Amino acid sequence: MPVFPASKIKDIADLDMLLGEMTLEEKAGQLNQPPNMLALEDADVKAGKIGSVICAFNAYAGNESHERVRAGQTNRLQRIACEEARLPIPILFARDVIHGHRTVAPIPLGQAASFSPELVEEAQAIAAFEATADGIKWAYTPMLDIARDPRWGRIAEGFGEDPYLASRLAEAAVRGLQGTNMADNDRMAACMKHFVGYGAAEGGRDYNTGEISEYTYRNLYLRPFHAAVKAGIATAMSAFIEVAGIPATCHKWILDDILREEWGFDGVVVSDWDGVGEIVHHGCAADHTEAASKALAAGLDIDMATFAYIKHLPELVRAGVISEELVDRAVRRVLLLKYRCGLFENPYTDETLGDKRMFLPENQNKALEFAKRTLVLLKNENETLPLTKPKKLGIFGTLGKATWEMFGTWCLDGQASEVVTISDAIKKEFGSDVEYMESPNPDDAISFARFVDAVIVVVGESPHRGGENNCVTDIGLPAGQLQLLKGLKRMGTPVIAVVVTGRPNDLSWLEANVDAILLAFHPGSMAGQAIAETLSGKNNPSGKLPVTFPRCVGQVPIYYNRKNTGRPLDPYAKGMTRYIDSLDSPLYEFGYGIGYSPINYSNAKLDGWKVSVDVKNEGKYAAEEIVQVYFRDEVASRSRPIKELVKFSRTTLKPGETKTVSFELKAEDLGYYGPQNTWVVEPGWFQVAIGANSLAPMFARFQVDASGAISESQVM
Ligand code: GLC
């Protein structure tokens, strides 16, 4: 029986009373996070050896569906921890609920294509609503790694290449998951990951080393994490990467100096899977004992899946190698996290919720709206789309019949049986009056093409070609797909490519040869209906690219917020930075995406800090347009990107409607982490652009003086 009931922990001050009761072994137990909840030993739970558990069976949870966790299972273990252990300390149950639990939202890269913080917040709130019903109280999301390399499979899992967009979506994810009180029974602790710089892995090869200057670290990779901390995120997960020769998992500069001293973060830092053990592989510790000592001293609180803390911390303290205060520091954070999650007050989950909250019709409808808003129309020659009153349609491509593949990477709890295929959804959307020709065989498909009004070819990637540990040297479409497209192209029938993928693929042949390209970043449970309603015109696509699409993998890394360099890009001038065997521009720029209605921008204005533009819907379809504002700092103490996203908003436009869209800038928006590694706005001349994507021209320049006021402005 516990020495006192968990309910006795009434406020934060009681946590120190509890800490004072704990043995060294019990303290180490709170910092221990084994995997595979179903294999836990009850005796270990009773002995206080399990502070938290990740409900995943292996380190590659991202690429496999997993057996569902049920609240009955978590409650059973919780009762041992709270009613049989010597000290009543609840367990925190964690899972990779990355972009939905049972109702699966589009992958985060797709969510980013909506440029909609509201969508991200709502999607994560649904994820929390469902996952908490299964006893999960800690989600290892959002993944905030800035990614500039489509070879890296995990580009699918983050919010793309821009720190401003990723920051706004990070804040939204925290709001959606944690709400205003993590103790609510439909809210949970979020986890910003991977802290920090994982997306810089050289060669786009997962787990590889990355070289990052402090300037780039602060001005690119750290920014979305800082935004998440300001939004109140409860936890962080250290990255596998090493920074300047030190693994992030034992990097004091990252985990303590920046995260805690500079940012004031008071949450918990958990390692990534076996991150403590990997310090040995990095060659920065001789064994797990040394790795544990280094990680704890650097500020890592919980050891996921290495068992180094539980095995070695007591001996390290007794040997005087580390102080017990360091252990107490970590344990106090863990207890505070559990307190904030309401676990001391109510450690158990209502077991009736599991069957009431999953895949509800209203959440399916929301997932449908999410999916529709993430679709990006890249090409639509001769208004091929939307398909109006076709008589015969060809539907080809294996992904057209796919189900679980629509979930994308990092989906543990989606049910393939609940996915309507793209093919079935198209047939439902266009109805039985249309004749459909389909075949899994490319030769049949090509021979059928002459008999239909248009062919819809669903190409792209299985999630198994993306996500963790799935990196590629060739970002072209998977084997066989281009051949099918080329064969169909020869038949002269309009070819509509639906590209379902988790990364920027090389679509250069498609851009030059097919009639329409609709990009779908693994759209989740409602992919089929979202795509079908877009092909029919019921949905006017509005998504914009959160990542740059290269012409070929040889251009990688390629991103919009690039530097001017000492030999500015000028394809036709000798001696300037350029390739001799390819255009230097990307295939599709960051922020690019079209719709069924031409949108006209005019009358861009800068009036003081207010920047505005008139936006007109010149088509016959109602539209949502994502208006974007970019700026450039002409001269600074450090070189600045040629353009940086600084504002965006979605605006609805009826056919023929014109709206003036305006934004209020402020000097603070124009800053960067300068020579002192602090956010500074340096006086000088800036330029501003407002438009439909990152190609929008700079139309005005303005001078900011030392007081942060605009002293002069000019039209460019
Ligand atoms: C994986 C991933 C991380 C995930 C963790 C637990 O290796 O890097 O994002 O949360 O392990 O599954």
Side-chain angles (χ1 to χ4, degrees):
M1 277 300 285
V3 294
F4 51 80
S7 56
K8 190 176 174 189
I9 306 296
K10 287 293 182 206
D11 66 39
I12 290 180
D14 294 336
L15 299 179
D16 273 323
M17 175 264 288
L18 176 59
L19 183 61
E21 295 281 347
M22 295 172 75
T23 65
L24 209 39
E25 280 66 21
E26 287 166 334
K27 290 176 182 178
Q30 285 304 305
L31 310 183
N32 178 44
Q33 183 181 109
N36 198 351
M37 178 188 72
L38 301 180
L40 293 182
E41 295 294 337
D42 290 3
D44 288 345
V45 176
K46 188 171 181 179
K49 292 182 177 179
I50 315 289
S52 56
V53 59
I54 170 172
C55 300
F57 309 137
N58 55 40
Y60 306 108
N63 298 322
E64 294 158 8
S65 64
H66 266 45
E67 190 178 323
R68 182 177 175 185
V69 169
R70 297 304 307 249
Q73 296 164 320
T74 58
N75 282 342
R76 188 189 74 80
L77 293 166
Q78 205 67 291
R79 266 189 286 279
I80 298 170
C82 295
E83 299 172 27
E84 297 178 26
R86 190 181 76 85
L87 291 173
I89 305 175
I91 296 170
L92 200 46
F93 293 94
R95 194 165 172 92
D96 288 294
V97 185
I98 308 300
H99 53 98
H101 189 61
R102 174 73 168 275
T103 304
V104 183
I107 56 171
L109 191 60
Q111 294 184 32
S114 74
F115 280 69
S116 172
E118 299 75 19
L119 179 151
V120 170
E121 179 173 350
E122 213 173 357
Q124 291 294 14
I126 293 169
F129 174 76
E130 293 187 344
T132 49
D134 279 348
I136 305 299
K137 199 63 183 178
W138 188 7
Y140 291 144
T141 197
M143 191 268 218
L144 301 178
D145 296 304
I146 295 294
R148 293 170 152 176
D149 193 330
R151 294 171 294 182
W152 189 47
R154 301 197 79 165
I155 194 169
E157 200 183 335
F159 291 131
E161 72 188 42
D162 181 72
Y164 178 79
L165 174 61
S167 297
R168 304 293 76 76
L169 300 184
E171 294 158 352
V174 175
R175 293 193 298 268
L177 289 158
Q178 299 184 176
T180 53
N181 183 357
M182 284 190 293
D184 292 346
N185 79 352
D186 59 353
R187 300 292 185 178
M188 60 203 305
C191 181
M192 63 183 191
K193 69 185 188 184
H194 304 81
F195 202 61
V196 175
Y198 188 12
E202 284 175 356
R205 188 156 49 85
D206 212 357
Y207 314 131
N208 200 6
T209 302
E211 277 303 328
I212 313 170
S213 67
E214 180 162 354
Y215 171 91
T216 300
Y217 209 68
R218 289 182 178 278
N219 286 291
L220 184 72
Y221 294 106
L222 279 172
R223 282 178 58 190
F225 290 89
H226 197 185
V229 168
K230 288 177 188 170
I233 198 158
T235 72
M237 180 185 292
S238 63
F240 286 130
I241 199 164
E242 59 141 87
V243 179
I246 305 173
T249 302
C250 61
H251 206 314
K252 184 179 180 304
W253 177 63
I254 299 172
L255 302 184
D256 199 31
D257 300 353
I258 291 178
L259 183 59
R260 302 205 187 263
E261 298 307 316
E262 284 187 35
W263 295 356
F265 177 70
D266 70 350
V268 166
V269 180
V270 60
S271 72
D272 200 338
W273 192 290
D274 193 29
V276 175
E278 291 187 6
I279 297 170
V280 176
H281 299 318
H282 279 289
C284 296
D287 52 31
H288 282 186
T289 304
E290 184 182 6
S293 168
K294 285 192 163 187
L296 185 78
L300 183 85
D301 302 310
I302 293 180
D303 160 20
M304 182 197 292
T306 304
F307 303 96
Y309 276 18
I310 189 77
K311 283 179 187 161
H312 302 298
L313 288 187
E315 88 200 41
L316 283 164
V317 171
R318 294 192 175 99
V321 175
I322 56 171
S323 69
E324 189 158 3
E325 283 68 34
L326 272 183
V327 176
D328 290 353
R329 177 181 74 172
V331 175
R332 196 174 285 112
R333 288 167 182 161
V334 172
L335 296 179
L336 179 59
L337 173 62
K338 293 181 177 183
Y339 176 83
R340 285 170 169 166
C341 287
L343 290 177
F344 284 104
E345 191 177 341
N346 177 16
Y348 304 115
T349 302
D350 174 349
E351 294 179 26
T352 65
L353 294 178
D355 294 328
K356 292 178 190 167
R357 287 190 179 176
M358 299 305 162
F359 208 56
L360 300 179
E362 60 265 33
N363 290 333
Q364 292 176 48
N365 292 336
K366 285 180 179 172
L368 173 60
E369 286 314 304
F370 301 155
K372 289 195 285 191
R373 297 180 100 176
T374 63
L375 302 180
V376 184
L377 185 62
L378 297 174
K379 181 180 183 183
N380 192 22
E381 201 140 296
N382 307 319
E383 297 185 353
T384 303
L385 289 176
L387 288 166
T388 47
K389 298 185 180 45
K391 291 185 178 56
K392 289 187 179 182
L393 279 177
I395 309 173
F396 306 118
T398 49
L399 284 172
K401 299 282 190 187
T403 54
W404 66 268
E405 291 86 339
M406 298 299 116
F407 293 143
T409 188
W410 283 107
C411 174
L412 279 62
D413 291 282
Q415 298 299 308
S417 59
E418 292 167 346
V419 174
V420 174
T421 67
I422 293 171
S423 166
D424 287 348
I426 287 171
K427 288 182 275 193
K428 182 168 183 285
E429 177 66 16
F430 287 91
S432 54
D433 293 346
V434 174
E435 185 183 337
Y436 303 96
M437 300 186 85
E438 298 184 88
S439 169
N441 305 317
D443 42 10
D444 287 352
I446 292 165
S447 70
F448 291 166
R450 76 173 74 232
F451 302 111
V452 297
D453 304 324
V455 293
I456 299 165
V457 196
V458 187
V459 294
E461 297 189 354
S462 153
H464 286 163
R465 198 169 185 260
E468 182 173 0
N469 202 24
N470 290 330
C471 302
V472 294
T473 58
D474 177 356
I475 58 171
L477 292 175
Q481 294 183 7
L482 267 189
Q483 285 85 340
L484 171 59
L485 285 164
K486 288 176 178 175
L488 290 167
K489 167 73 178 171
R490 279 198 301 272
M491 303 311 288
T493 305
V495 176
I496 297 156
V498 177
V499 183
V500 180
T501 186
R503 64 162 40 95
N505 290 111
D506 172 353
L507 301 181
S508 47
W509 187 89
L510 280 76
E511 170 55 29
N513 291 285
V514 305
D515 300 86
I517 306 170
L518 180 66
L519 175 73
F521 287 119
H522 290 117
S525 300
M526 308 306 286
Q529 190 177 341
I531 289 165
E533 290 190 9
T534 303
L535 296 175
S536 72
K538 201 176 282 178
N539 173 54
N540 182 358
S542 59
K544 302 269 186 172
L545 293 179
V547 280
T548 299
F549 271 57
R551 295 178 184 280
C552 63
V553 71
Q555 287 186 301
V556 170
I558 183 170
Y559 42 89
Y560 89 93
N561 45 2
R562 61 182 174 79
K563 295 299 192 64
N564 203 33
T565 77
R567 298 202 172 194
L569 183 64
D570 177 345
Y572 303 103
K574 268 195 171 306
M576 295 302 161
T577 175
R578 65 182 180 156
Y579 295 108
I580 58 169
D581 64 347
S582 167
L583 289 176
D584 304 281
S585 58
L587 187 67
Y588 303 116
E589 289 277 353
F590 175 86
Y592 174 77
I594 57 177
Y596 294 148
S597 287
I599 304 294
N600 180 275
Y601 283 74
S602 63
N603 199 21
K605 276 184 191 163
L606 177 67
D607 178 5
W609 285 106
K610 181 177 162 184
V611 56
S612 64
V613 71
D614 292 343
V615 191
K616 181 176 183 183
N617 178 348
E618 297 191 329
K620 58 186 179 187
Y621 295 92
E624 285 206 47
E625 177 66 4
I626 299 167
V627 180
Q628 303 152 49
V629 180
Y630 296 85
F631 82 96
R632 177 178 187 175
D633 183 349
E634 289 184 0
V635 178
S637 307
R638 297 288 183 274
S639 66
R640 299 290 298 281
I642 59 166
K643 62 186 85 164
E644 297 179 67
L645 181 69
V646 64
K647 293 287 182 191
F648 60 82
S649 77
R650 291 181 72 102
T651 299
T652 55
L653 289 166
K654 299 186 189 71
E657 183 180 16
T658 299
K659 276 183 183 172
T660 299
V661 179
S662 60
F663 300 86
E664 201 65 32
L665 295 178
K666 51 186 188 307
E668 187 68 10
D669 297 330
L670 311 177
Y672 76 113
Y673 286 94
Q676 309 309 316
N677 292 319
T678 54
W679 188 262
V680 289
V681 179
E682 296 179 338
W685 284 91
F686 294 80
Q687 299 175 10
V688 64
I690 184 167
N693 55 58
S694 58
L695 286 175
M698 298 291 171
F699 73 90
R701 60 194 292 264
F702 56 100
Q703 187 178 43
V704 177
D705 66 24
S707 72
I710 292 180
S711 49
E712 189 182 342
S713 65
Q714 306 164 352
V715 173
M716 290 176 74

